[in-house]
């Protein structure tokens, strides 16, 4: 494995108006080329952890470094190389954006100020749409697509960004079983081909990509266990029981 | 109807078209980002500014413009610092500026002062001068220029501020810029249609365009065209029927919006 891409040291994140941290005392290192899945029951802090990594949420204690950049000081520099697919992002049916616009927007952070998308950016966006299988929706309004189609567009948008670190928050939640398998395999292939570092958050243990190196189990804002994917998949039944046990 | 010199009519028509273009262009962002109460807020900021001008014995229109520009400038940073939605801050500023306006008026000399400050809220298109026209033209150019220059940032911001931020765009700057431009547009259009009616000029044409079009670039072209046509038709209606210009423009824009809702393909099933 390569250099450390994501490093969290004793990180607490508290939401505004709350007293208790949503995640607390998180220590985590993820190296280049690793694919890490974060699992846990609802409200265990998985999304908070992901949004703390890309600096969308400010830490109340500790330090987050991504590409060796302190995310509380200069998040913009690192974010150009961080692809992020948010949880359950659904557009209103009347929004004035076509699917191809949304995918092209993945390129905007990299382009910088006063730079308009060039031919190469349109081509990259088109290729990302082709990879995810949404090229036929290119000219359709994003809000008119189904939840699953929108989720694919969001994944295409992130691929078009050509990130070095990929943060996926429940990326398959709206997809049917066949699409879930297909997209998961494509992401794994791109991950390997491009030497990406990937973090996949999911509550569904069957959505853990096969290629994944580590599985972190979260509960009540803490990382409570680290497993290897094979043992998780072999003991899904007991891990589901484990979720229930954590809550009781 | 009292016959008016052709030059005044032409100046007024040009001003109304320019205001229609500017307001409905910025209106696309205001409507999509649900900031429409900014119209009320800025018009009352202008009222407070005019009252302050009367109190300090300076040109009330100039002080109205300066005061509302100042409010437009601080809206975004305040909402960001206070971690409150812009809607809440706009509501607070709206009530604060009314309060300040009446306090200023209380100390301004003469009863006529009240009338003069209140006239800011109603506007008068026939009092538009050539200098006002130049100013309005410059504002229109400035807004078109900024929207062209930073189109991709505004587009990303409109789609999702969170995603734009996550992909490395400094959204605060562009968010403040939209609030500022909306505020300044209202302030500059006050003299034309008045503070209370400028609101409809911002909301109606943009809302009408959004009923038909799914492509932001096309919305940004269609909205000012609808705005300009609305103002022209409203103006002609007012000349024909001797209605107040502002009210005529609002009637036409509301009619166009109603028609758009009825004909909107976005509202059809399937």
């Amino acid at each position: 494995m390569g250099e450390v891409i994501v490093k969290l040291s004793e990180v607490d994140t508290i939401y505004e108006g709350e007293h208790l941290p949503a995640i607390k005392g998180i220590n985590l290192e993820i190296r280049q080329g690793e694919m890490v899945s974060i699992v846990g029951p609802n409200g265990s802090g998985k999304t908070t952890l992901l949004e703390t990594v890309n600096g969308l949420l400010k830490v109340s204690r500790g330090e987050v470094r991504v590409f060796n950049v302190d995310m509380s000081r200069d998040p913009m520099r690192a974010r150009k190389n961080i692809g992020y697919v948010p949880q359950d992002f659904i557009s209103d049916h009347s929004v004035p954006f076509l699917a191809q616009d949304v995918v092209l927007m993945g390129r905007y952070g990299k382009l910088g100020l006063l730079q308009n998308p060039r031919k190469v950016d349109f081509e990259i966006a088109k290729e990302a749409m082709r990879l995810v299988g949404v090229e036929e929706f290119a000219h359709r309004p994003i809000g008119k697509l189904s939840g699953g189609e929108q989720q694919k567009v969001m994944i295409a948008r992130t691929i078009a960004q050509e990130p070095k670190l990929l943060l996926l928050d429940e990326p398959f939640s709206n997809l049917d079983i066949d699409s879930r398998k297909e997209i998961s395999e494509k992401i794994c292939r791109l991950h390997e081909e491009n030497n990406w570092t990937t973090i996949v958050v999911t509550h569904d243990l069957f959505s853990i990509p096969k290629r994944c190196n580590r599985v972190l189990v979260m509960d009540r804002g803490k990382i409570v266990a680290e497993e290897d994917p094979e043992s998780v998949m072999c003991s899904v039944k007991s891990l589901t029981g484990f979720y229930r046990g954590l809550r009781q | 109807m009292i016959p008016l010199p052709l030059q005044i009519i032409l100046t007024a028509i040009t001003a109304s078209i320019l205001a229609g273009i500017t307001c409905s262009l910025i209106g696309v962002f205001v409507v999509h980002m649900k900031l429409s109460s900014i119209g009320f807020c800025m018009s009352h900021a202008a009222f407070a500014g005019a009252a302050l001008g009367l109190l300090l014995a300076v040109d009330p229109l100039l002080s109205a413009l300066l005061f509302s520009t100042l409010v437009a400038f601080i809206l975004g940073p305040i909402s960001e610092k206070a971690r409150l939605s812009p809607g809440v801050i706009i509501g607070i500023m709206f009530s604060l500026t009314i309060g300040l306006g009446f306090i200023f008026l209380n100390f301004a000399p003469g009863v006529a002062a009240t009338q003069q400050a209140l006239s800011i809220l109603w506007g008068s298109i026939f009092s538009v001068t050539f200098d006002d026209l130049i100013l309005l033209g410059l504002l229109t150019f400035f807004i078109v220029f900024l929207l062209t220059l930073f189109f991709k940032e505004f587009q990303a911001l409109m789609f999702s501020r969170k995603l734009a931020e996550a992909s490395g765009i400094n959204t605060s700057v562009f968010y403040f810029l939209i609030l500022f431009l909306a505020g300044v547009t209202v302030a500059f259009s006050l003299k034309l249609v008045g503070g209370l009616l400028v609101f409809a000029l911002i909301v109606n044409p943009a809302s009408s365009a959004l009923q038909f079009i799914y492509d932001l670039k096309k919305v940004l072209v269609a909205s000012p065209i609808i705005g300009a046509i609305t103002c022209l038709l409203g103006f002609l209606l007012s000349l024909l029927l001797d209605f107040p210009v502002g009210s005529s423009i609002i009637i036409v824009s509301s009619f166009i919006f109603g028609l758009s809702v009825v004909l909107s393909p976005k509202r059809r099933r399937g």
Side-chain angles (χ1 to χ4, degrees):
Chain A
M1 286 291 166
E3 60 179 309
V4 174
I5 298 295
V6 177
K7 184 172 182 180
L8 280 77
S9 314
E10 289 298 322
V11 167
D12 287 4
T13 302
I14 304 177
Y15 282 101
E16 279 167 36
E18 301 273 336
H19 297 294
L20 295 171
I23 55 170
K24 53 193 166 190
I26 301 286
N27 287 298
L28 178 64
E29 268 191 16
I30 298 174
R31 292 182 175 271
Q32 186 172 5
E34 263 196 295
M35 180 179 275
V36 176
S37 287
I38 300 175
V39 299
N42 292 335
S44 57
K46 307 184 294 294
T47 297
T48 307
L49 177 59
L50 215 56
E51 294 193 351
T52 301
V53 168
N54 68 5
L56 286 175
L57 290 173
K58 296 228 179 327
V59 294
S60 42
R61 189 174 73 91
E63 188 187 51
V64 178
R65 296 189 84 86
V66 179
F67 305 118
N68 211 22
V69 172
D70 183 346
M71 293 303 280
S72 61
R73 287 172 188 265
D74 191 11
M76 291 302 165
R77 193 150 65 93
R79 280 183 192 151
K80 294 183 197 314
N81 290 312
I82 303 176
Y84 173 54
V85 176
Q87 186 179 15
D88 290 331
F89 186 91
I90 300 292
S91 274
D92 177 60
H93 76 283
S94 62
V95 294
F97 301 99
L98 305 176
Q100 63 181 9
D101 298 335
V102 175
V103 177
L104 187 65
M105 276 181 218
R107 305 288 308 156
Y108 288 0
K110 282 213 161 145
L111 285 173
L113 273 179
L114 306 176
Q115 294 291 324
N116 285 321
R118 296 151 300 163
K119 196 181 169 198
V120 64
D121 298 302
F122 286 96
E123 279 166 6
I124 290 170
K126 202 172 169 185
E127 176 61 14
M129 281 190 279
R130 194 194 59 76
L131 271 171
V132 183
V134 291
E135 69 270 45
E136 61 186 294
F137 309 135
H139 299 284
R140 286 186 61 194
I142 181 84
K144 288 278 186 186
L145 302 179
S146 70
E149 289 165 344
Q150 287 197 32
Q151 201 156 32
K152 284 184 182 176
V153 171
M154 298 310 290
I155 293 170
R157 177 189 192 277
T158 308
I159 292 171
Q161 189 181 340
E162 296 184 319
K164 290 178 181 158
L165 170 64
L166 195 59
L167 307 178
L168 306 171
D169 194 354
E170 306 279 4
F172 316 118
S173 58
N174 288 311
L175 304 181
D176 57 50
I177 294 170
D178 289 343
S179 298
R180 187 176 298 193
K181 191 166 172 261
E182 185 196 336
I183 299 292
S184 178
E185 279 170 3
K186 278 180 180 167
I187 287 175
C188 286
R189 204 188 74 221
L190 287 166
H191 166 90
E192 282 186 17
E193 282 174 6
N194 299 295
N195 199 23
W196 282 345
T197 307
T198 306
I199 306 176
V200 184
V201 156
T202 180
H203 72 278
D204 175 11
L205 301 171
F206 292 103
S207 294
I208 297 172
K210 283 182 187 156
R211 160 70 180 76
C212 150
N213 304 97
R214 283 191 281 161
V215 178
L216 306 176
V217 184
M218 284 193 80
D219 188 53
R220 296 173 202 268
K222 288 185 173 174
I223 296 171
V224 292
E226 185 174 325
E227 309 272 344
D228 68 87
E230 276 181 22
S231 65
V232 171
M233 292 318 289
C234 290
S235 59
V236 163
K237 214 172 176 181
S238 61
L239 200 58
T240 312
F242 178 61
Y243 278 177
R244 203 175 298 126
L246 288 170
R247 282 297 173 212
Q248 285 161 1
Chain B
M1 191 172 75
I2 305 162
L4 290 164
L6 185 65
Q7 195 187 346
I8 290 181
I9 292 178
L10 285 178
T11 307
I13 287 176
T14 313
S16 66
I17 289 173
L18 281 176
I21 291 170
T22 315
C23 288
S24 44
L25 200 52
I26 211 72
V28 175
F29 297 94
V30 170
V31 169
H32 186 78
M33 294 164 84
K34 298 182 173 62
L35 299 168
S36 46
S37 52
I38 200 167
F40 295 126
C41 176
M42 297 315 301
S43 55
H44 287 84
F47 163 69
L52 182 65
L54 291 165
L55 178 67
L56 301 175
V58 296
D59 180 3
L61 202 65
L62 182 69
S63 58
L65 200 63
L66 289 176
F67 201 82
S68 44
T69 306
L70 176 73
V71 170
F73 190 71
I74 61 174
L75 269 179
I78 287 182
S79 99
E80 197 94 332
K81 283 274 174 206
R83 297 178 193 276
L84 289 166
S85 81
V88 172
I89 296 296
I90 287 169
I92 301 287
M93 293 301 259
F94 167 59
S95 50
L96 176 69
T97 49
I98 293 179
L100 282 175
F102 282 108
I103 288 173
F104 295 150
L105 275 183
N106 196 39
F107 293 103
V111 182
T114 309
Q115 204 57 40
Q116 211 175 339
L118 283 172
S119 72
I120 293 286
L121 291 177
W122 300 110
S124 168
I125 193 161
F126 293 112
S127 65
V128 172
T129 63
F130 186 72
D131 288 348
D132 295 330
L133 208 60
I134 298 290
L135 218 55
L136 206 55
L138 284 174
L139 178 69
T140 311
F141 174 77
F142 182 60
I143 288 177
V144 171
F145 177 71
L146 284 180
L147 292 184
T148 311
L149 204 59
F150 300 118
F151 175 76
K152 76 175 193 301
E153 283 80 10
F154 285 125
Q155 187 192 33
L157 176 63
M158 271 181 82
F159 179 64
S160 163
R161 186 172 179 186
K162 185 178 172 178
L163 279 178
E165 188 81 28
S167 65
I169 293 172
N170 188 348
T171 57
S172 292
V173 173
F174 296 99
Y175 191 63
F176 295 168
L177 191 59
I178 286 176
L179 286 174
F180 176 68
L181 291 176
V184 172
T185 300
V186 174
F188 274 65
S189 307
L190 283 172
K191 197 173 179 181
L192 179 71
V193 286
L196 298 175
L197 301 181
V198 77
F199 172 72
L201 209 50
I202 283 184
V203 174
N204 293 1
S207 302
S208 304
L210 284 165
Q211 296 302 313
F212 293 97
I213 305 165
Y214 285 106
D215 184 338
L216 183 64
K217 268 184 190 160
K218 290 178 184 166
V219 173
L220 286 170
V221 173
S223 180
I225 291 174
I226 296 173
I229 291 172
T230 295
C231 285
L232 191 63
L233 290 177
F235 200 94
L236 294 173
L237 185 74
S238 104
L239 288 179
L240 281 172
L241 302 175
D242 202 15
F243 287 172
V245 176
S247 307
S248 304
I249 291 172
I250 302 316
I251 287 168
V252 171
S253 72
S254 302
F255 177 75
I256 290 175
F257 174 69
L259 205 63
S260 308
V261 169
V262 173
L263 300 175
S264 169
K266 290 189 180 184
R267 290 171 185 278
R268 283 183 212 136
R269 286 178 186 272

